[in-house]
Amino acid sequence: MKAFLLLLAGISVTYPTKSIPVHTFSSETEYAILFDAGSSGTRMEIYQFLASGPTLKPSDILELSPSPAKVEPGLSSLADEPSQVEDYMTPLLESAKKTIPEDKQTSTPIFLFATAGMRLVPKDQADAVLKEVRKLFNNKEKCPFMFQDDNDARIITGKTEGIYAWVTVNFLVGAYRSKGLTYGSLDLGGASHQNAWKFNSSHPDIAIVDFAGKKYKIFARSYLGFGQDQARERYLGVIAQEQNCAENSECVVKSPCHNKGFKESLKFGDQERVFEGTAQVRRCRKVIREVFFCHLPDVQKCPFYDQPKLKGRFYGFSSFYYILTGIGAVCSDCENNKVTPRKVNLYSKSFCKKDYDDLEKNPYAKNQCFGGNFIYELLTEGYRLGLYRKIRVTNSLNGFKLGWTLGAVLKNTDIMKE
């Protein structure tokens, strides 16, 4: 079991050009703070570690519930106003101060890892925002926590995000105690989508992961622009263009991926038009396939053309969970949901047939007809899964929210060392 200390400190990938320092914990009961700076907001995760060492298990960690735990919109919204970073982050820092005992604050590592939203920001603007974050974290009067290195506030690559998610899943299911059985991860965010899984063939997107004393070849890839929010905006722009409404502000765009009865003004890019739902699922899926999925050898136009077919067991989370619970394909109180493309097909069609007036109490309903059909096409056209291929979909596992943040904390601290 001592080899388990290699879980994340032993992740080795071929692409980093600079080694990242690892934070050292000073005693058994410690804390760690991670800010997940996503496309729609920045969420703060605080973990309390009740034990340490190579036999660390999920029951040794508490996922705390600070309030507030999230600020909106995303950090990328400050690209033109980096001086606003302090005002933006202060509510979360004050929340962390109230959550973590004062005598533990100076030994509590603090991280901010930005994902797809910041990847879309021009480099000079992103650097300016991160410079302000580092300046704030280095100010001990305003941020008493342990900020050791500029790399503790950075944009992480989609590939790194996928690996962190893979480690989170396999730590929570106890894969290090099994005989090499692991789960793959499918993370559908707002701006990007990641997949990571054990892969024994050669491929440019392979990372070598040391896990429980064994080396695993992990395929990890991120698809920028394939998160739910970005994909939906792209769809809106395409159908507006097809109907010659992109330049006509008075034009009403007919949307096959919205329920009948829906008629609202929606933004896409720097434009805004009125969209009216027609609930034509066949047409909706045809547009999605043409815009997002193909298999020709052109990386720019067909990003899934060389995506290996998924093998093994998988957990899908984030927007997989939110969309599929919204359309009724997944139980919101269950951790062992299993869905198939066939089930997504049936439930997305059924949901899209509903009149929007009957869904108005659900604030997310306007996104779910598109979302269900996008997930169906992602599974069948992107990943080429058979209709009866099962994937577990949940938002939590063993009491923890599923995502990449726990894996990131384990990777960037030495909590699993003796």
Side-chain angles (χ1 to χ4, degrees), residues 40-214:
S40 62
T42 296
R43 182 180 296 278
M44 178 173 65
E45 303 289 353
I46 300 180
Y47 299 100
Q48 181 181 7
F49 295 88
L50 306 179
S52 61
T55 59
L56 186 76
K57 53 188 181 297
S59 59
D60 297 323
I61 307 173
L62 297 178
E63 189 175 41
L64 304 186
S65 301
S67 180
K70 185 177 182 179
V71 292
E72 295 178 333
L75 189 63
S76 57
S77 67
L78 304 181
D80 294 323
E81 299 178 292
S83 63
Q84 299 299 310
V85 163
E86 182 176 333
D87 289 342
Y88 176 86
M89 294 295 301
T90 293
L92 296 181
L93 289 174
E94 292 300 315
S95 178
K97 291 178 189 178
K98 295 176 184 177
T99 303
I100 298 174
E102 188 172 352
D103 64 335
K104 290 291 185 180
Q105 291 177 5
T106 58
S107 64
T108 296
I110 186 169
F111 307 95
L112 182 143
F113 293 156
T115 56
M118 285 288 281
R119 291 179 209 136
L120 295 168
V121 174
K123 186 179 185 304
D124 59 335
Q125 292 181 301
D127 288 344
V129 171
L130 291 174
K131 182 179 179 180
E132 291 298 317
V133 171
R134 293 163 185 153
K135 178 182 175 182
L136 175 62
F137 285 2
N138 276 310
N139 186 326
K140 293 309 168 188
E141 291 186 3
K142 298 174 180 178
C143 179
F145 308 105
M146 182 170 59
F147 184 68
Q148 290 188 172
D149 188 273
D150 283 355
N151 279 300
D152 292 342
R154 69 185 192 272
I155 300 172
I156 60 173
T157 67
K159 186 169 185 176
T160 298
E161 186 180 350
I163 291 171
Y164 286 166
W166 182 87
V167 175
T168 298
V169 168
N170 286 283
F171 172 72
L172 293 178
V173 299
Y176 62 96
R177 295 191 294 267
S178 68
K179 297 181 180 179
L181 296 175
T182 63
Y183 282 87
S185 62
L186 297 172
D187 184 358
L188 185 60
S192 66
H193 163 58
Q194 285 72 234
N195 68 87
W197 46 293
K198 182 180 175 182
F199 190 80
N200 291 325
S201 302
S202 60
H203 197 283
D205 288 313
I206 291 294
I208 305 300
V209 180
D210 287 337
F211 185 55
K214 300 177 182 178

Side-chain angles (χ1 to χ4, degrees), residues 16-36:
T17 58
K18 181 179 179 180
S19 60
I20 306 299
V22 173
H23 283 265
T24 300
F25 282 108
S26 58
S27 63
E28 278 196 355
T29 303
E30 292 291 354
Y31 299 81
I33 304 168
L34 188 141
F35 296 103
D36 169 6

Side-chain angles (χ1 to χ4, degrees), residues 355-386:
D355 191 276
Y356 188 68
D357 291 339
D358 297 329
L359 303 170
E360 284 187 330
K361 292 182 180 179
N362 177 356
Y364 305 105
K366 64 182 178 182
N367 300 327
Q368 289 169 340
C369 180
F370 171 83
N373 286 294
F374 180 78
I375 288 175
Y376 175 75
E377 295 297 329
L378 173 63
L379 297 177
T380 57
E381 291 295 317
Y383 289 115
R384 303 186 294 279
L385 298 185

